[in-house]
Amino acid sequence: MVRMSDDPTRVQEFFSARAADWDARFPDDGPAYAAAVSALGLRPGGRVLDAGCGTGRALPALRAAVGPAGSVLGADLTPAMLAATVRAGRDGDGQLLLADVSRLPLRAGVLDAVFGAGLISHLPHPEENLRELARVVRPDGILALFHPIGRAALAARHGRQLTPDDLRSEPRLRPLLAGSGWRLTSYVDEDTRFLALAVRER
Ligand SMILES: C[S@@+](CC[C@H](N)C(=O)[O-])C[C@H]1O[C@@H](n2cnc3c(N)ncnc32)[C@H](O)[C@@H]1O
């Protein structure tokens, strides 16, 4: 079976078809994104990447957290999603990169944190790809894996069952992160949000 996540072109096709009305489909998520960003504990002047930033819904909160002296990057491999970010005026909140997060054009350890919303299930090689995110984050830096609804609610929205092998279940996610240079420190999976926080191991 070929999964969409095995092929970046299929990921691009999938999200290109949804880019124009992505924000309109989820108009009330802003406060949930702001709350998740606050869990990163960013400080003024901090450096953060929104990995798979899509239409940039997290960028305003990330910019507010690091202030004008900070650095906010938004990376996505789907040009149409980045174009929607620009149309929404969110390119003023961060520098946009047309890039695959499995091969980031960044030096090791340059970031304080990575925020990834709705990303992990699209990664073709999660352990290897999470290791690439760890590479660009300094020791003790933070990773947030977020979704504005929990796993069960998302499965119901997609008309599928939640299976025990789900990548984001705690028993699967904890060792996955540990094998990629991250230590899971907090895990919340409730109807109104999924948020896993991890610290970059030294
Ligand atoms: C479910 S959307 C979430 C978008 C945004 N983070 C949000 O919360 O609205 C997933 C996004 O990840 C992007 N994506 C998937 N795999 C990627 C990869 N390997 N590198 C960069 N972006 C990727 C897709 O193009 C899409 O924009």
Side-chain angles (χ1 to χ4, degrees):
M1 186 181 81
V2 177
R3 294 177 306 142
M4 182 177 77
S5 58
D6 291 330
D7 182 350
T9 307
R10 294 182 72 181
V11 172
Q12 288 172 327
E13 285 170 4
F14 182 85
F15 286 106
S16 293
R18 288 159 178 77
D21 67 346
W22 189 259
D23 289 0
R25 285 174 65 197
F26 310 111
D28 303 322
D29 286 347
Y33 277 75
V37 164
S38 74
L40 286 171
L42 289 163
R43 301 210 173 126
R47 297 156 299 172
V48 61
L49 167 69
D50 185 355
C53 65
T55 58
R57 294 195 291 167
L59 296 180
L62 292 169
R63 171 56 66 193
V66 300
S71 172
V72 178
L73 302 174
D76 204 288
L77 57 67
T78 305
M81 292 296 261
L82 293 178
T85 305
V86 174
R87 280 198 304 279
R90 298 187 190 117
D91 54 327
D93 290 314
Q95 182 185 345
L96 303 183
L97 302 174
L98 179 59
D100 190 325
V101 301
S102 65
R103 291 185 304 276
L104 285 163
L106 298 174
R107 282 181 289 115
V110 293
L111 300 173
D112 297 306
V114 172
F115 184 79
L119 174 71
I120 186 170
S121 57
H122 299 292
L123 297 177
H125 307 291
E127 184 161 338
E128 190 183 316
N129 305 146
L130 288 167
R131 197 173 302 127
E132 171 65 354
L133 297 181
R135 182 187 69 78
V136 296
V137 171
R138 65 168 170 76
D140 295 330
I142 306 289
L143 170 69
L145 297 174
F146 170 68
H147 200 287
I149 59 175
R151 292 188 310 127
L154 186 64
R157 179 189 282 173
H158 292 163
R160 59 175 170 78
Q161 296 285 327
L162 199 55
T163 57
D165 66 341
D166 182 76
L167 200 61
R168 295 185 304 147
S169 69
E170 188 171 2
R172 283 212 63 195
L173 190 60
R174 185 179 293 280
L176 176 64
L177 287 166
S180 314
W182 299 100
R183 177 169 46 85
L184 184 68
T185 54
S186 165
Y187 182 92
V188 175
D189 180 22
E190 51 199 23
D191 274 358
T192 52
R193 71 171 173 163
F194 173 89
L195 181 62
L197 298 173
V199 172
R200 168 78 161 87
E201 297 281 19
R202 284 169 178 267

